[in-house]
Amino acid sequence: KKKPIAKKRARGGKQSAPASEQLPEPSQPADLSAHPEFNRLSFIFRQSIESSNLTTAQQTFHRLEAIKLSAGLSDRVLFQYVALLAAQKRPVDALRPLQMISGRNALLAEQARLRIAIIQTRVLNKPELALQTLAKIIETPESNPEIMQRRNQLIAEAKQSAK
């Protein structure tokens, strides 16, 4: 007589949780806020920005990047981080958060692209790269005229620098 095969947990072993109970993969930005490490680190990140603690903000941002949770940070928080970096004269460090904002194509994307182009032209001395970045800002009837004016000024500056 055969015994039915039953799934039993081995003594002292761990049974894996069903897929619905496992932690979200870092590649799923919609679920990042449910990740306990994201919540803890994003709180530390926001607090360090508010208190102008650049060292802690940078360490926390790099930790979020390392564990692939930085995509869960809001554009507003990332722009606050960029402002802190700018105040401390760290423009190159601001490129990564600006690229994240730009890549989302949300409300602040065009402002992020302008800042990226400024850094590429004035700091990195790569006006060709700045022109590529500025080309991503497309003028439409709904475009903010101030952003379009700034874009055109930066295009002229980059072209002059490229000569």
Side-chain angles (χ1 to χ4, degrees):
K1 183 173 160 182
K2 289 186 175 181
K3 290 185 180 180
I5 298 174
K7 291 185 179 178
K8 287 188 176 181
R9 187 170 68 176
R11 182 175 279 174
K14 290 186 177 182
Q15 186 176 13
S16 64
S20 62
E21 294 177 16
Q22 291 178 350
L23 291 177
E25 291 295 318
S27 62
Q28 300 172 344
D31 301 325
L32 291 180
S33 63
H35 194 289
E37 195 67 0
F38 172 79
N39 291 330
R40 184 181 73 79
L41 289 172
S42 65
F43 176 77
I44 293 169
F45 185 62
R46 287 190 311 273
Q47 292 294 350
S48 60
I49 292 169
E50 288 174 16
S51 64
S52 298
N53 185 342
L54 181 61
T55 304
T56 303
Q58 284 184 299
Q59 289 171 346
T60 309
F61 181 76
H62 291 304
R63 177 71 182 131
L64 284 162
E65 284 272 277
I67 58 177
K68 303 198 183 329
L69 295 176
S70 61
L73 295 170
S74 72
D75 289 353
R76 183 186 57 79
V77 170
L78 288 171
F79 243 110
Q80 289 172 341
Y81 179 49
V82 167
L84 178 61
L85 289 164
Q88 299 292 324
K89 309 266 189 260
R90 305 292 300 260
V92 176
D93 292 336
L95 282 173
R96 176 63 185 140
L98 286 169
Q99 289 168 340
M100 291 171 63
I101 296 166
S102 171
R104 294 177 184 169
N105 287 321
L107 185 63
L108 298 173
E110 290 179 344
Q111 290 178 359
R113 289 183 187 118
L114 290 174
R115 289 201 181 192
I116 291 169
I118 290 168
I119 294 168
Q120 290 169 332
T121 303
R122 298 178 186 168
V123 178
L124 300 176
N125 198 25
K126 296 190 177 188
E128 310 82 23
L129 204 54
L131 289 170
Q132 291 174 8
T133 301
L134 293 167
K136 295 176 184 174
I137 302 175
I138 299 168
E139 192 165 4
T140 64
E142 299 84 36
S143 296
N144 180 333
E146 292 172 5
I147 289 178
M148 291 300 112
Q149 180 183 6
R150 187 72 178 125
R151 179 198 71 164
N152 295 336
Q153 289 171 345
L154 290 170
I155 287 173
E157 182 181 330
K159 285 181 178 178
Q160 184 65 33
S161 296
K163 290 181 180 179

